[in-house]
Amino acid sequence: MLSELYRNIVIASDGSENSRRAISCGIEIAKLSGATIHALYVVDTPSVISEDWTAGKEAIREMMMNSGKKVMSKIKKIIEESGVEVKEVLLEGYPANEIINFAENNNMDLIVMGTLGKTGFERLLMGSVAEKVVRHSNVPVVVVRDGN
């Protein structure tokens, strides 16, 4: 019997090896609940391209978007092969903000994402998209930690 708890699940991925564990977890939850997966990738252009930067800005943005499309294609294939319905979502902006906004504005029931499991000074320097999403999202979040 399928659960009605989750009908729409967003799996946020950065294309890393660690995010594959989150994808697998999201697929299993979707299979149990009969949910549709919205595979989300955010192209983090604001961190690379400043407002004042003009030379080559559009070419770099285009390269980043093409890279995001390639990652989305791989993720979509993995999810489709599992037999779960999947919709691709490619956004541009600050990852944590875009993940939260997408989930809250599109009636998502659950966010699934990975984390690198960094601690202390390393986390302080890099920040954590997963931590920001957990802290600020009104949608429940499942964080899948790195296996190490």
Side-chain angles (χ1 to χ4, degrees):
M1 183 170 146
L2 297 178
S3 165
E4 292 294 321
L5 184 59
Y6 304 120
R7 303 305 304 148
N8 289 290
I9 297 171
V10 61
I11 299 177
S13 176
D14 61 3
S16 68
E17 195 60 40
N18 181 59
S19 68
R20 291 186 188 271
R21 294 186 70 206
I23 294 167
S24 295
C25 178
I27 288 170
E28 291 308 309
I29 295 170
K31 284 181 178 180
L32 292 170
S33 63
T36 297
I37 291 176
H38 301 261
L40 174 64
Y41 182 90
V42 181
V43 179
D44 189 6
T45 52
S47 295
V48 177
I49 304 171
S50 75
E51 295 268 334
D52 300 327
W53 188 8
T54 56
K57 180 178 183 176
E58 212 34 59
I60 291 171
R61 182 188 169 279
E62 191 64 31
M63 283 187 342
M64 293 174 74
M65 293 299 286
N66 286 336
S67 177
K69 289 174 186 174
K70 288 177 187 172
V71 170
M72 282 303 307
S73 176
K74 290 176 186 175
I75 294 168
K76 182 179 180 186
K77 183 178 179 193
I78 291 167
I79 297 170
E80 283 178 337
E81 288 174 353
S82 75
V84 174
E85 182 181 351
V86 60
K87 296 180 180 179
E88 292 178 82
V89 182
L90 182 66
L91 300 175
E92 182 177 0
Y94 293 103
N97 296 349
E98 295 300 327
I99 293 165
I100 292 167
N101 290 337
F102 177 81
E104 292 179 359
N105 295 326
N106 291 281
N107 299 314
M108 295 295 116
D109 301 306
L110 184 68
I111 299 170
V112 179
M113 60 190 307
T115 181
L116 293 176
K118 303 215 180 293
T119 59
F121 189 67
E122 190 174 26
R123 192 184 92 212
L124 181 65
L125 285 177
M126 294 179 61
S128 168
V129 172
E131 181 179 5
K132 290 174 186 165
V133 172
V134 168
R135 286 184 182 273
H136 300 289
S137 177
N138 292 323
V139 175
V141 181
V142 171
V143 178
V144 180
R145 289 187 54 112
D146 179 351
N148 297 328

